[in-house]
Amino acid sequence: YQAKMDFALKLGYAGDQIQAVLNKLGADALINDVLAELVRLGNKSESEGQSSASSTTSTLVPRGPCPKEIASPELSLEDEVVDNSDNLRPIVIDGSNVAMSHGNKEGFSCRGIQLAVDWFLEKGHKDITVFVPAWRKEQSRPDAPITDQEILRKLEKEKILVFTPSRRVQGRRVVCYDDRFIVKLAFDSDGIIVSNDNYRDLQNEKPEWKKFIEERLLMYSFVNDKFMPPDDPLGRHGPSLENFLRKRPVIPEHKKQPCPYGKKCTYGHKCKYYHPERANQPQRSVADELRISAKL
C-alpha cells in the first residue's frame, strides 16, 4: 500500500486522490490499474473545472465569433456543411462526351452518364443537368451502337436529362448543336461543365464564354466503372476539387511553396514554385526578363 502511495506521489498526484483510489480498488490492486483510475479522475476533475470556469465567465464573453470556432476550423466546416447543397455550383454534363468516353469511343454507353450523375449526387449536388441529342432515343444501329438505353428514359423522368432537339427533313436528320446548350446553361447558371471537350469553336464566339470555359471546365477519366475527376481541376496551383465545385470555398487551400531561389530564379513563368514578387505582374518568358534586366 505504502509503495503504491509513494509511487503515485512521485508522479505528482494528490494524497487524497491516491487514498480514494486505493480504498476503491483495494491494496492488492495492480499499479497499472491504480494509475489508470488516477488518470480518469484527473481528466474528470479537469473537465468539471473547465465547465465551472466557463459558467462563471459566461457573462463576460464579448460579442463576435465564438472562440471555439476560431481555434478549430473543423467546427466552421461542420456549420458550412449544413447548407452544403446551397453552396454547391450547378452541374451541366456533356452527355455525349461522357457516354462515348465510357464506351471507349466505340459505342454510346448510357451507363457512363449514370455513373457521373451518381458521383455528383453522392457529393450532395441537387442541380444536375445532362444534355443528350434527341436522336439517341432511336434504336441502336451497327454504325452507332447504344448500350443501356433505358437509363436515358429513367434520367429524363427524374428531370436530370434533357434531350436537345432534332428532326428529320426529307429523310435527312437536322440536329441542333448540343454543345451550345451546354455552355449557355452553365454560363447562365454560373455552374460547372463536365466534359473532356475544350469547345474551341464556342470559345471563339464570345470572349466571356472563352474565359468561363477556361475557368469552369471539369475534365474526368473512367477507370472501368469508376468516374474520376481530378483533385486539381485548374492545375497544381489552382483550387482543390472541393472548392472548385463550391460557390464559396470551405476547405482552406494549401499555401504554395515559395521558390528557394527567390528573385534570382531564372525559370521565369515555367517555375513551378510561388513567387510573391510576381503576383501582380504578367508572367514573362526568361528571354523577356533578361532583356528587361539588361535595359535596366
Side-chain angles (χ1 to χ4, degrees), residues 183-253:
V183 174
K184 192 172 188 307
L185 178 65
F187 181 78
D188 292 343
S189 63
D190 195 28
I192 302 289
I193 303 173
V194 181
S195 177
N196 284 336
D197 190 353
N198 289 314
Y199 305 104
R200 296 194 184 279
D201 52 339
L202 297 176
Q203 287 189 41
N204 296 328
E205 278 191 16
K206 296 182 181 180
E208 61 268 26
W209 280 10
K210 175 179 171 59
K211 186 174 184 298
F212 179 80
I213 291 168
E214 288 174 352
E215 295 177 354
R216 294 291 177 80
L217 185 66
L218 178 63
M219 306 188 91
Y220 63 90
S221 295
F222 276 109
V223 180
N224 295 326
D225 280 347
K226 188 174 182 180
F227 177 78
M228 294 184 68
D231 291 331
D232 48 354
L234 299 181
R236 71 171 75 184
H237 297 314
S240 64
L241 179 61
E242 297 296 326
N243 284 341
F244 181 75
L245 296 174
R246 284 176 167 81
K247 298 172 185 174
R248 300 180 304 279
V250 175
I251 301 167
E253 302 289 353

Side-chain angles (χ1 to χ4, degrees), residues 12-182:
Y13 289 100
D16 54 347
Q17 266 191 334
I18 303 166
Q19 284 181 350
V21 169
L22 288 172
N23 290 337
K24 179 182 175 182
L25 299 177
D28 297 332
L30 296 173
I31 191 69
N32 288 341
D33 297 337
V34 173
L35 289 174
E37 187 67 19
L38 284 169
V39 170
R40 191 182 65 80
L41 284 174
N43 292 338
K44 187 178 178 183
S45 61
E46 281 177 12
S47 61
E48 287 173 356
Q50 287 175 358
S51 61
S52 62
S54 61
S55 62
T56 54
T57 58
S58 59
T59 56
L60 301 175
V61 174
R63 290 186 180 184
C66 175
K68 283 185 181 178
E69 290 180 4
I70 297 169
S72 61
E74 288 83 0
L75 290 175
S76 60
L77 287 178
E78 288 174 7
D79 295 339
E80 199 72 45
V81 170
V82 175
D83 63 339
N84 197 16
S85 60
D86 298 331
N87 193 23
L88 293 171
R89 293 188 186 278
I91 302 296
V92 182
I93 299 175
D94 187 342
S96 297
N97 186 273
V98 170
M100 293 301 292
S101 178
H102 186 256
N104 202 21
K105 298 186 179 178
E106 295 175 358
F108 191 92
S109 173
C110 302
R111 179 164 166 71
I113 298 173
Q114 184 70 66
L115 293 169
V117 169
D118 290 344
W119 190 90
F120 286 105
L121 288 174
E122 287 173 8
K123 288 283 182 183
H125 291 266
K126 293 179 180 176
D127 190 351
I128 303 172
T129 307
V130 182
F131 281 106
V132 171
W135 63 272
R136 291 292 184 181
K137 291 189 281 186
E138 298 174 8
Q139 192 172 358
S140 177
R141 302 195 316 271
D143 59 325
I146 303 175
T147 56
D148 301 312
Q149 206 167 8
E150 67 279 358
I151 290 175
L152 300 181
R153 298 287 187 187
K154 172 178 160 291
L155 291 174
E156 186 184 24
K157 286 180 182 177
E158 294 171 1
K159 295 186 177 179
I160 293 175
L161 187 139
V162 176
F163 288 105
T164 56
S166 70
R167 61 195 175 102
R168 286 191 171 274
V169 178
Q170 297 178 355
R172 186 172 59 88
R173 185 189 291 122
V174 178
V175 181
C176 295
Y177 193 30
D178 59 331
D179 287 357
R180 189 172 280 107
F181 279 90
I182 294 162

